[in-house]
Amino acid sequence: MRNLRVIAQSRVTIEGPLAQVTWDSTPNDTEDVICAIGPTRGHNPIIQLRRYTTIKVKNGDTNVDTSPSNPPSPTDNSNDGRIIAAWDAPCPLPELENDEVLLLHDLGDRLSVVLAGGDIVVVRKTPASHQEKIEIVGSVDVGIIAAEWSFDDSLLAVITRANTFLLMTPEYDNIVNYELTQGDANLSKAVSVGWGKVETQFKGKRAKALRDPTVPETVDEGVPSKFDRDDVTISWRGDGAYVAVNSRQCANRRIVRVFSRDGALDSVSEPIDGLEGALSWRPDGALLSGLQRLHQEVKVVFFERNGLRHGEFSLRPQSSSEIWQMPIDLHWNRSSSILAVSFVDRVQLWTMSNYHYYLKQEIFAPSNAIQSRPLSAVWHPQDPYSIACWQNETNEEASKPHQQAICGTVVVARYSSVPTPASTISPFDIGLQATIDGCNVKLTPLALANIPPPMALHTLIVDNCVVDVAVNTDNTMIAVLQRDCVSLFSGKDRLSRKQSFHLDDCKRLPSKENLVATQIAYSKDELFLVLFVDFEAGAQVVYSLKHATFTQCRSDDAKVSIKSIINDDHTCQLHGRTVSSLSEHDVFNGITSEKTSFPENLHDFACMKISNKIMTFGLSASGILYADSQQLLSNCTSFVLTQSYLVLTTSSHLLKFVHLVQDAANLAIPPDQPELDERCRSIERGARLVAIMPSRFSVVLQMPRGNLETIYPRALVVAGIRSDIESQQYGEAFLACRSHRVDMNILYDFAPQQFLECIPRVVDQLQKMEHIDLFLSQLRDEDVTKSLYRDTIPRTASANVTATPSNTDGSHKKITESTTSDVVSKVNTICDAFLRALQKRYSTNLQNVITAHLCKSPPAIEDGLRVIIDLNETQPELVDHAVEHVCFLADVNRIYEAALGLYDLRLALLVAQQSQKDPREYLPYLQSLQDMPELRKKFRIDDDLGRRSKALSSLHALNVFDEVKRYTEKHEMYKEAIELYRYDQTHQTTLLKSYADYLSSRNRYNEAAIAFESLHDYQSASDAYRAVNLWRECLSSAQLAHLPTTEVTALAQSLATSLAETKDYIAVATIHLDYLSDLETALQNLCKGCQFAEATRLAASKQRADLLESVIDPGLIEASASLTELLADCKAQLNAQVPRLRELRAKKAADPLAFFEGSAVNGEGVDIPDNISLAPSDSSTTGGTLLTQYTQRAGSGTLASNTTRRTSKNRRREERKRARGKKGSVYEEEYLVNSIGRLIERVNSVADDVTRTVEGCLKRGMRERALAVEKSMSEVVEGCKECLTEVWEVREKAQAGAMEDPNESITRDESAWGADDVYRDSIESWKRSGPPTVKAYERSPLL
């Protein structure tokens, strides 16, 4: 699908006989050729090497070479070139009238010249002081007939006139000397089995025995062509590993020998009749190309390296039979993509695609006189699309032979391989591709007929070889540029496969010898512009077909191209590095306006008008893509512009979409992440863009072999869906979602409020009930515009407004609403909206109504069944279909249960028939229900369905209390039953008694006691209160039950004993004082609770002052001693744990890896104690940040280890390790911090006891004890305050640093479980916990 477009062409005329031409490898600002002129004929033959400028690479003077190796000479001029060297060249062989330059090759710092007389000359470009500029480095006495350097310039292959094959090093040392003999033909014993031949095809069972398919019908004997020149050709493979020699052996056969790099004969070609001397090895090493001339046709034949024939194609007949019989040469370019076939009057350029060879271009000889030798051609060694062709013009009327050669001409052309630009504007984006094949133009609208090449839907035939093709915007007019005319074809029905094109007009071009047409482009109002090369003026001119006017481009630019602006119908021209607009007014007046300049010359370019500004994109030969002179990326292989996207392919085999914006600096190239970004997609290796059809969401790629592949990138598809939603074309958007498997939730999520307002329109556009059902069934509570299809268009602050309908290929904005519905209720919101819209369409959209009910979350199955019940009264004939549809949408078992729950047995029977249930099971069951009374039937159904509350209500309605009681006790439904009998006191009391007994049996004594007390059963209530140590309620209930005094006293003693065990000393003291009348014991318990003031009050109120010394003073002594001991333990714990915590943090800061993992320090081994426990980690074999080692962020570890660790057993084991906080483990720091926190809480809890004890001691004259207790308390409180800063604030800073570092952040991984999650829990507990508050302690002013 790609054509060769001429982007530069120049011609150089040389005085004297031109022998050889090669490309100059010296880095400079021009593309120069070096020509070998001579030897001149006469008594003093001279050979000259001259450098000529052909195509300018950078802006500047093309006629001056200021490089140090070629200083300007006063005698040199632009026509004569710049002399490199000249020397006398007499021929050393008497049998040769004149010597001949067989090979001219540039080796970088020197030129290698091989002469037919046998001399090998080296011309140094910049010779050193001890070197000669011209030196004969070797000579072959018998003479040379062919020579060729390898592509890497490491070996020189030579064929001598004595039929000897030589291989020489760059120093011209001979390493191989092989004599070519007739016996070489016996080397190859390969047998052709006839693959692909007609005789190998299956023709029926009887044809198998007719003949041997391995024997061809005719066997070639290798008879030479009668036009054979007896010449010898040498061709190297691209990697320099093999070299092929095509020579004639004796008089009856021509042989192609293949030699290895060390000079060993590898293979010999099979005999082929009519084989001539042309030979060119395809540089990629696949095939060798030769020429076979038969009586009726001329073929290019191919050989494998083993000498067997492998394919062919026929050359196209020329207008002159005389030219057709002249010699022909072959030349492959360096990339193996173009084959140059040289005739005596032209050079044809052929390309191969999908195993078909296309004739793409022809380069004609400057002279119309027929020469005896074909045009010589040489491809550029670095640029595969640049070729130089040359030929001598002879004077046939001269009397002496040495007067015949008068001058030579070199034609240099540069091409770009690009497809014909196809319209990307809807509705004309049908992907119309015009492929040039000689005199044929193959047309294929890829959107209408995706026909693979070399086939095509239409074929336009013209008289001469096609140079270029242009198509107008609406695909109704095609201009075919030929050498001397332009054929205009027009067609109708541009959007149909039946479109046909017919020739409207054939406009002749201006006929001038120095004018060559190279390009054609479409401009506005059916104005086609033709680009000419004017060799005489050295400039490019633009010719208007409509007005027959010329516009001259800048004369100092050799490279000029013209193209149409994609969405403006005007034309832009590229001259050198500058792109200018070329409007109709400019063509009339010869004016060009400069637009954009690029850093280098471009291989291809395209223009797009964006908001009244023309943006230009250019691609260099090295793959650098520019946008308005700004480099976008450096690995682009092809690109196409649409109205909203720049679409490109990269050498990383990715297809990328770039949103077009006005400023090139804001163009965002998506990253190479096709799995994360919809703007990037992986493609096949080497694929190139052919056409993009935005309205059809398709992109056509051509693979390296030539086959086509049409893909539908998610970026184009989703962009088109968004555009349809903006224009409220929900039908088109739905069909696109269905065809391309896009989540249909985007229809709502992209514009929620607009969708809800357009529900009737959505129903009308979707039309079919199946489409509405499909949409409703795909709904889920997720906003896909935030997950799957996030909009990638760059936004500004003012972008969040309601968008208007826009282009169909991605220029859109997400429609935002002033109010948004809750995501959780999205499905129900849409379903309810559809139900409201379908209220008046029950007759036509009944199925959709049922679907809307059942697609809710959770499904409203009963509502859907009620629709069927109502339908049974109005349209009973539709009930079966409705039931079938309901069973399709949801689980049939749930639907069956819901039908039973509606108490409609007929509906339940219809549903059961749609299920896999056994009729022997459900028929008797339904029959038994049919025979029951209504209330009993409801009870049975509700009980079977597990709807206990409804079943209990049915029993209550049946007025069967005993059954209600049994059912209540069976299913523990006491609350519901009591509520049902709230107006029946007798039955309610019975149920409440049963409920109280139930609560007691379940150890819920508090609730049971309350129930018993409400029933005035104080004895049972007292027992229940006693079980939960509620002493007040227990004793009061016992007294209300009128228990004997002895039993009440025993109950009080038992309660006092139980409360003393729980250290509720105040309650114990109250019981002994009020119920046991034991004042001394009551005072003792008050002293245990540090309630010394209350104890003193009671002693005084009871007139028992003696108890102050016998009871209260011992209590004070015991309390002060206990508190002093407790505070001493707290102080010792602080003094032990805070330094240990400080030591752990110092170790972690010094060597975190060793702290967490026990790894080597600085690469040196360290001994880890055996009693050190390591944290759970899979990072023992891989690196990572310190915290990610324990959070499994890297996903390292073997499958077996991960599986073993992720078990509940290992988690419990790890939790026990964490709880112990063993010294040396990673949990020790957490354990120490938590332990200090618990200590502070304990100190805060005893602060009031300390205060009361100190006051009591002071009151009783125990000053020293009070002082000791207060001092201990003050020291502990001060120590707790001091450790707060060190223990908790340091940890907070560490947490802040960890949170700031994104690589160190720890996030909760919900998928982690087992032992791997324990350490993560410990870290998160630190985040949740904060430093405790140390309660202030005020010392007594009396101490």
Side-chain angles (χ1 to χ4, degrees):
M1 291 287 181
R2 307 181 79 85
N3 298 321
L4 293 180
R5 200 170 199 233
V6 183
I7 59 175
Q9 191 168 358
S10 65
R11 182 185 298 174
V12 179
T13 301
I14 300 171
E15 295 294 336
L18 182 59
Q20 291 291 334
V21 175
T22 188
W23 291 91
D24 185 11
S25 63
T26 303
N28 49 36
D29 291 347
T30 57
E31 291 184 355
D32 297 345
V33 293
I34 299 176
C35 301
I37 305 172
T40 58
R41 299 187 181 186
H43 299 288
N44 188 20
I46 298 175
I47 296 178
Q48 290 184 357
L49 299 183
R50 288 178 176 267
R51 179 183 286 106
Y52 292 88
T53 296
T54 57
I55 299 176
K56 186 171 62 172
V57 178
K58 297 181 180 180
N59 292 334
D61 189 357
T62 62
N63 299 326
V64 179
D65 182 9
T66 58
S67 61
S69 60
N70 296 282
S73 173
T75 60
D76 291 345
N77 54 63
S78 61
N79 292 330
D80 295 336
R82 297 177 295 279
I83 296 179
I84 299 175
W87 68 93
D88 296 335
C91 183
L93 297 180
E95 59 268 24
L96 295 179
E97 180 180 358
N98 289 92
D99 210 343
E100 181 183 359
V101 179
L102 298 178
L103 175 65
L104 173 63
H105 188 75
D106 191 345
L107 296 175
D109 59 342
R110 63 193 186 278
L111 298 171
S112 176
V113 183
V114 179
L115 303 178
D119 292 337
I120 301 176
V121 182
V122 168
V123 178
R124 297 180 176 87
K125 296 181 180 180
T126 55
S129 58
H130 63 281
Q131 293 178 330
E132 296 290 340
K133 185 175 182 64
I134 303 173
E135 181 182 358
I136 300 177
V137 295
S139 182
V140 179
D141 296 336
V142 296
I144 300 174
I145 57 176
E148 189 69 30
W149 280 95
S150 62
F151 286 96
D152 56 359
D153 298 335
S154 61
L155 288 177
L156 172 64
V158 176
I159 302 296
T160 67
R161 301 180 70 84
N163 282 337
T164 304
F165 172 69
L166 307 178
L167 280 181
M168 298 182 183
T169 65
E171 291 76 23
Y172 301 97
D173 296 329
N174 190 19
I175 59 175
V176 173
N177 191 331
Y178 185 91
E179 183 178 358
L180 305 180
T181 62
Q182 189 173 0
D184 296 339
N186 300 325
L187 176 66
S188 179
K189 300 297 183 181
V191 177
S192 175
V193 297
W195 294 115
K197 298 293 184 67
V198 176
E199 52 268 18
T200 63
Q201 307 303 313
F202 180 72
K203 299 179 180 179
K205 59 182 181 179
R206 296 183 180 179
K208 185 176 181 180
L210 295 180
R211 58 184 306 278
D212 186 357
T214 62
V215 179
E217 296 180 357
T218 59
V219 179
D220 287 355
E221 299 177 358
V223 179
S225 170
K226 64 179 180 179
F227 302 104
D228 197 342
R229 295 174 293 173
D230 294 336
D231 53 345
V232 177
T233 309
I234 302 175
S235 182
W236 285 87
R237 201 169 77 170
D239 58 359
Y242 294 93
V243 60
V245 178
N246 185 356
S247 63
R248 187 165 179 173
Q249 191 67 34
C250 300
N252 59 352
R253 184 179 174 186
R254 178 172 284 277
I255 298 176
V256 178
R257 297 176 176 85
V258 177
F259 293 90
S260 63
R261 187 180 180 86
D262 55 5
L265 183 61
D266 184 74
S267 63
V268 176
S269 64
E270 63 175 286
I272 296 180
D273 292 341
L275 185 65
E276 294 191 356
L279 179 68
S280 181
W281 200 324
R282 192 171 175 177
D284 61 8
L287 300 171
L288 294 91
S289 303
L291 191 72
Q292 182 185 24
R293 195 188 301 265
L294 302 176
H295 297 290
Q296 299 179 351
E297 61 179 339
V298 179
K299 297 180 180 180
V300 175
V301 295
F302 300 103
F303 301 92
E304 299 177 7
R305 184 174 61 83
N306 58 11
L308 295 181
R309 190 166 173 176
H310 186 101
E312 62 187 27
F313 74 92
S314 298
L315 297 177
R316 310 286 167 83
Q318 303 300 320
S319 57
S320 173
S321 59
E322 182 181 358
I323 296 177
W324 191 245
Q325 298 173 0
M326 299 297 285
I328 302 173
D329 282 341
L330 304 174
H331 309 276
W332 278 104
N333 69 337
R334 284 298 178 92
S335 64
S336 304
S337 59
I338 306 175
L339 175 62
V341 181
S342 299
F343 296 88
V344 294
D345 65 334
R346 73 192 69 190
V347 174
Q348 292 183 346
L349 303 182
W350 295 76
T351 64
M352 192 270 286
S353 177
N354 220 14
Y355 305 106
H356 175 79
Y357 281 83
Y358 295 84
L359 174 56
K360 292 297 184 182
Q361 288 286 349
E362 287 185 340
I363 305 174
F364 288 88
S367 175
N368 294 327
I370 299 177
Q371 307 296 323
S372 60
R373 299 180 59 180
L375 271 76
S376 299
V378 58
W379 288 97
H380 197 285
Q382 282 82 36
D383 185 0
Y385 295 104
S386 294
I387 187 174
C389 308
W390 72 92
Q391 189 181 54
N392 287 316
E393 298 182 12
T394 59
N395 184 4
E396 301 294 344
E397 297 179 358
S399 59
K400 297 181 180 181
H402 68 273
Q403 296 177 350
Q404 292 181 359
I406 56 175
C407 67
T409 303
V410 179
V411 178
V412 176
R414 189 174 186 180
Y415 300 89
S416 63
S417 178
V418 293
T420 302
S423 177
T424 57
I425 302 175
S426 179
F428 311 122
D429 54 338
I430 60 174
L432 182 62
Q433 287 297 306
T435 305
I436 298 174
D437 188 11
C439 299
N440 301 327
V441 177
K442 298 183 176 182
L443 298 176
T444 301
L446 297 173
L448 307 178
N450 199 345
I451 300 176
M455 297 181 291
L457 186 63
H458 307 288
T459 301
L460 308 182
I461 302 176
V462 294
D463 297 332
N464 299 314
C465 183
V466 179
V467 177
D468 197 11
V469 180
V471 184
N472 66 346
T473 303
D474 59 359
N475 306 308
T476 58
M477 184 170 293
I478 299 176
V480 179
L481 176 63
Q482 302 163 62
R483 185 184 181 188
D484 55 355
C485 66
V486 175
S487 298
L488 299 178
F489 292 85
S490 63
K492 300 179 180 180
D493 300 329
R494 59 178 179 269
L495 302 180
S496 171
R497 294 186 59 177
K498 299 180 180 180
Q499 179 186 20
S500 60
F501 292 90
H502 59 275
L503 181 62
D504 274 354
D505 193 7
C506 184
K507 294 184 178 293
R508 308 300 300 182
L509 296 177
S511 178
K512 294 184 180 179
E513 182 179 355
N514 294 318
L515 281 180
V516 175
T518 57
Q519 298 179 19
I520 188 169
Y522 172 75
S523 188
K524 198 173 183 180
D525 298 330
E526 301 181 1
L527 180 67
F528 284 95
L529 305 179
V530 181
L531 181 67
F532 282 88
V533 178
D534 190 347
F535 294 120
E536 182 177 358
Q540 313 273 356
V541 293
V542 177
Y543 178 76
S544 170
L545 287 181
K546 186 175 182 180
H547 304 284
T549 58
F550 280 98
T551 299
Q552 182 170 344
C553 302
R554 293 169 54 178
S555 60
D556 59 344
D557 292 315
K559 297 181 180 179
V560 176
S561 294
I562 56 175
K563 270 192 175 182
S564 300
I565 301 176
I566 292 177
N567 56 350
D568 189 56
D569 283 345
H570 284 88
T571 306
C572 276
Q573 62 174 345
L574 169 68
H575 39 89
R577 302 179 184 180
T578 304
V579 175
S580 304
S581 66
L582 193 64
S583 64
E584 185 176 352
H585 179 268
D586 298 332
V587 174
F588 297 155
N589 298 278
I591 303 173
T592 59
S593 57
E594 186 171 315
K595 286 295 183 182
T596 306
S597 294
F598 292 90
E600 61 178 314
N601 288 275
L602 302 179
H603 173 76
D604 189 17
F605 79 102
C607 300
M608 169 68 73
K609 190 173 183 180
I610 304 176
S611 299
N612 297 324
K613 176 187 175 183
I614 295 179
M615 181 176 288
T616 305
F617 296 85
L619 178 64
S620 68
S622 59
I624 300 177
L625 182 64
Y626 296 95
D628 283 351
S629 71
Q630 179 176 343
Q631 179 176 336
L632 294 182
L633 73 165
S634 59
N635 61 342
C636 180
T637 56
S638 63
F639 76 96
V640 174
L641 286 177
T642 70
Q643 288 188 282
S644 298
Y645 284 113
L646 163 65
V647 188
L648 56 95
T649 58
T650 68
S651 57
S652 302
H653 324 303
L654 296 173
L655 177 68
K656 294 188 175 184
F657 294 81
V658 181
H659 294 285
L660 292 180
V661 294
Q662 294 185 18
D663 190 359
N666 295 329
L667 291 173
I669 304 296
D672 295 349
Q673 297 176 340
E675 67 280 356
L676 300 178
D677 198 328
E678 68 176 19
R679 297 172 298 168
C680 184
R681 172 183 173 135
S682 298
I683 56 176
E684 187 176 334
R685 182 183 183 91
R688 299 291 185 269
L689 286 169
V690 175
I692 298 179
M693 292 155 280
S695 63
R696 292 165 174 81
F697 322 133
S698 61
V699 174
V700 180
L701 300 168
Q702 188 166 26
M703 305 302 114
R705 193 194 74 180
N707 57 307
L708 300 179
E709 179 179 344
T710 302
I711 62 175
Y712 297 86
R714 187 51 51 93
L716 282 183
V717 174
V718 176
I721 293 172
R722 294 183 184 126
S723 182
D724 289 337
I725 295 175
E726 289 174 353
S727 58
Q728 299 182 4
Q729 298 296 325
Y730 287 98
E732 298 294 332
F734 170 83
L735 294 177
C737 291
R738 189 183 66 164
S739 300
H740 302 287
R741 302 181 65 85
V742 176
D743 196 319
M744 294 184 183
N745 285 271
I746 194 176
L747 299 179
Y748 171 83
D749 294 335
F750 185 71
Q753 190 62 34
Q754 173 185 298
F755 182 87
L756 295 177
E757 295 173 356
C758 297
I759 290 291
R761 179 178 297 180
V762 173
V763 174
D764 293 336
Q765 291 181 358
L766 295 186
Q767 295 180 351
K768 296 183 179 180
M769 290 189 298
E770 294 80 4
H771 291 173
I772 300 176
D773 287 348
L774 179 61
F775 169 73
L776 293 174
S777 63
Q778 297 295 317
L779 294 176
R780 67 178 189 275
D781 290 324
E782 177 188 352
D783 190 349
V784 296
T785 61
K786 298 179 181 179
S787 56
L788 294 176
Y789 311 119
R790 288 176 293 181
D791 203 350
T792 55
I793 296 180
R795 299 296 179 198
T796 60
S798 61
N800 294 326
V801 295
T802 302
T804 56
S806 182
N807 298 322
T808 60
D809 59 344
S811 179
H812 53 267
K813 300 176 182 177
K814 187 179 186 297
I815 300 178
T816 58
E817 314 296 340
S818 58
T819 59
T820 57
S821 59
D822 189 6
V823 176
V824 177
S825 61
K826 183 186 83 171
V827 175
N828 293 343
T829 300
I830 298 175
C831 291
D832 290 339
F834 268 91
L835 289 174
R836 289 191 297 269
L838 297 175
Q839 284 181 354
K840 299 180 180 180
R841 306 190 187 192
Y842 267 45
S843 59
T844 57
N845 294 84
L846 174 65
Q847 180 175 310
N848 302 140
V849 173
I850 298 175
T851 304
H853 283 298
L854 270 73
C855 287
K856 288 185 178 182
S857 179
I861 299 178
E862 293 187 357
D863 294 338
L865 293 177
R866 289 191 181 96
V867 173
I868 299 178
I869 294 175
D870 297 338
L871 184 66
N872 190 31
E873 300 176 358
T874 58
Q875 293 177 301
E877 67 277 2
L878 299 179
V879 172
D880 291 341
H881 175 72
V883 171
E884 182 180 356
H885 182 63
V886 169
C887 295
F888 170 76
L889 292 175
D891 183 13
V892 67
N893 295 319
R894 293 182 59 189
I895 298 174
Y896 175 72
E897 293 175 357
L900 284 176
L902 294 176
Y903 313 117
D904 191 326
L905 300 182
R906 182 178 181 278
L907 180 61
L909 177 61
L910 293 176
V911 174
Q913 291 174 349
Q914 296 293 331
S915 67
Q916 301 295 324
K917 293 180 179 293
D918 189 352
R920 292 175 296 181
E921 295 179 1
Y922 65 81
L923 286 178
Y925 174 73
L926 294 177
Q927 184 63 41
S928 64
L929 293 177
Q930 186 69 27
D931 298 337
M932 293 181 181
E934 186 67 22
L935 289 176
R936 180 60 65 177
K937 177 178 67 174
K938 290 183 178 180
F939 166 73
R940 176 70 181 278
I941 291 174
D942 292 333
D943 183 52
D944 292 340
L945 295 179
R947 302 191 297 189
R948 310 301 180 190
S949 298
K950 288 188 175 182
L952 189 63
S953 299
S954 299
L955 285 178
H956 175 261
L958 287 171
N959 197 19
V960 284
F961 178 74
D962 293 339
E963 192 172 351
V964 169
K965 183 180 179 182
R966 290 194 299 271
Y967 195 82
T968 300
E969 293 174 349
K970 178 180 179 181
H971 298 289
E972 301 175 1
M973 300 178 65
Y974 296 99
K975 294 182 181 179
E976 293 83 351
I978 292 173
E979 180 65 21
L980 288 174
Y981 287 95
R982 60 185 178 274
Y983 301 117
D984 189 343
Q985 188 64 33
T986 304
H987 291 159
Q988 187 184 46
T989 301
T990 304
L991 292 173
L992 187 58
K993 176 67 169 109
S994 178
Y995 187 30
D997 294 336
Y998 164 77
L999 292 174
S1000 296
S1001 65
R1002 294 294 187 270
N1003 297 330
R1004 296 167 60 181
Y1005 297 108
N1006 191 16
E1007 296 90 335
I1010 295 174
F1012 282 127
E1013 194 167 358
S1014 67
L1015 294 173
H1016 304 290
D1017 187 356
Y1018 296 109
Q1019 177 64 47
S1020 300
S1022 178
D1023 295 339
Y1025 284 132
R1026 173 67 184 86
V1028 289
N1029 280 341
L1030 296 176
W1031 62 275
R1032 293 182 180 86
E1033 294 83 352
C1034 178
L1035 293 174
S1036 62
S1037 297
Q1039 291 176 339
L1040 290 174
H1042 304 290
L1043 293 179
T1045 304
T1046 56
E1047 293 184 10
V1048 173
T1049 303
L1051 178 62
Q1053 186 64 45
S1054 176
L1055 286 172
T1057 304
S1058 299
L1059 292 173
E1061 294 176 357
T1062 61
K1063 296 184 180 182
D1064 190 358
Y1065 298 112
I1066 297 177
V1068 174
T1070 303
I1071 293 175
H1072 278 283
L1073 184 64
D1074 294 342
Y1075 294 95
L1076 300 178
S1077 301
D1078 188 352
L1079 178 62
E1080 185 174 352
T1081 305
L1083 295 180
Q1084 290 175 354
N1085 283 279
L1086 287 175
C1087 290
K1088 291 181 181 179
C1090 295
Q1091 302 293 330
F1092 299 104
E1094 179 66 15
T1096 302
R1097 186 191 68 81
L1098 288 176
S1101 65
K1102 300 296 183 180
Q1103 303 296 323
R1104 295 290 303 274
D1106 57 309
L1107 295 178
L1108 294 178
E1109 295 182 357
S1110 62
V1111 177
I1112 296 177
D1113 287 349
L1116 281 170
I1117 294 172
E1118 182 180 357
S1120 62
S1122 177
L1123 289 175
T1124 303
E1125 183 180 0
L1126 173 64
L1127 294 174
D1129 293 341
C1130 292
K1131 183 177 179 180
Q1133 181 179 344
L1134 281 176
N1135 293 335
Q1137 291 183 341
V1138 172
R1140 175 58 181 170
L1141 186 62
R1142 188 182 304 120
E1143 179 186 357
L1144 286 176
R1145 288 174 175 170
K1147 288 182 179 180
K1148 181 170 67 173
D1151 191 352
L1153 187 61
F1155 174 80
F1156 283 101
E1157 190 74 16
S1159 303
V1161 180
N1162 296 329
E1164 300 177 0
V1166 293
D1167 294 331
I1168 304 298
D1170 294 337
N1171 60 347
I1172 298 298
S1173 174
L1174 299 180
S1177 172
D1178 291 341
S1179 62
S1180 57
T1181 58
T1182 59
T1185 60
L1186 299 179
L1187 297 180
T1188 57
Q1189 295 182 14
Y1190 295 97
T1191 55
Q1192 290 290 314
R1193 305 277 299 178
S1196 58
T1198 62
L1199 178 61
S1201 64
N1202 288 338
T1203 304
T1204 303
R1205 295 190 59 79
R1206 294 178 179 179
T1207 60
S1208 58
K1209 181 179 180 181
N1210 283 275
R1211 178 181 177 87
R1212 290 193 298 270
R1213 182 188 302 128
E1214 204 67 33
E1215 287 175 345
R1216 290 194 294 270
K1217 290 181 181 179
R1218 176 186 174 188
R1220 289 195 301 268
K1222 185 178 179 181
K1223 185 176 181 179
S1225 69
V1226 293
Y1227 302 116
E1228 182 184 2
E1229 182 180 5
E1230 179 197 11
Y1231 178 83
L1232 292 176
V1233 173
N1234 294 336
S1235 178
I1236 295 173
R1238 291 191 296 269
L1239 182 146
I1240 293 175
E1241 293 175 358
R1242 177 61 177 156
V1243 171
N1244 291 337
S1245 66
V1246 301
D1248 294 337
D1249 293 344
V1250 170
T1251 301
R1252 290 191 294 268
T1253 302
V1254 170
E1255 292 176 352
C1257 290
L1258 288 175
K1259 291 176 182 179
R1260 297 299 299 165
M1262 303 178 185
R1263 183 179 179 84
E1264 295 299 327
R1265 290 185 178 275
L1267 184 62
V1269 173
E1270 188 176 71
K1271 181 180 179 181
S1272 299
M1273 184 65 181
S1274 299
E1275 291 176 352
V1276 172
V1277 170
E1278 190 65 24
C1280 291
K1281 289 181 178 180
E1282 291 177 356
C1283 76
L1284 280 179
T1285 303
E1286 183 175 1
V1287 174
W1288 277 274
E1289 291 188 2
V1290 172
R1291 188 195 67 191
E1292 289 175 358
K1293 293 180 181 178
Q1295 287 180 358
M1299 294 298 289
E1300 292 174 1
D1301 186 358
N1303 296 325
E1304 297 288 339
S1305 62
I1306 300 178
T1307 57
R1308 179 75 178 179
D1309 185 5
E1310 297 298 337
S1311 63
W1313 57 285
D1316 295 332
D1317 203 28
V1318 176
Y1319 187 76
R1320 186 180 295 108
D1321 286 341
S1322 70
I1323 297 296
E1324 291 183 350
S1325 67
W1326 284 20
K1327 293 181 181 180
R1328 293 189 296 266
S1329 64
T1333 301
V1334 179
K1335 189 175 181 180
Y1337 176 72
E1338 296 182 2
R1339 303 185 64 174
S1340 174
L1342 299 178
L1343 295 177

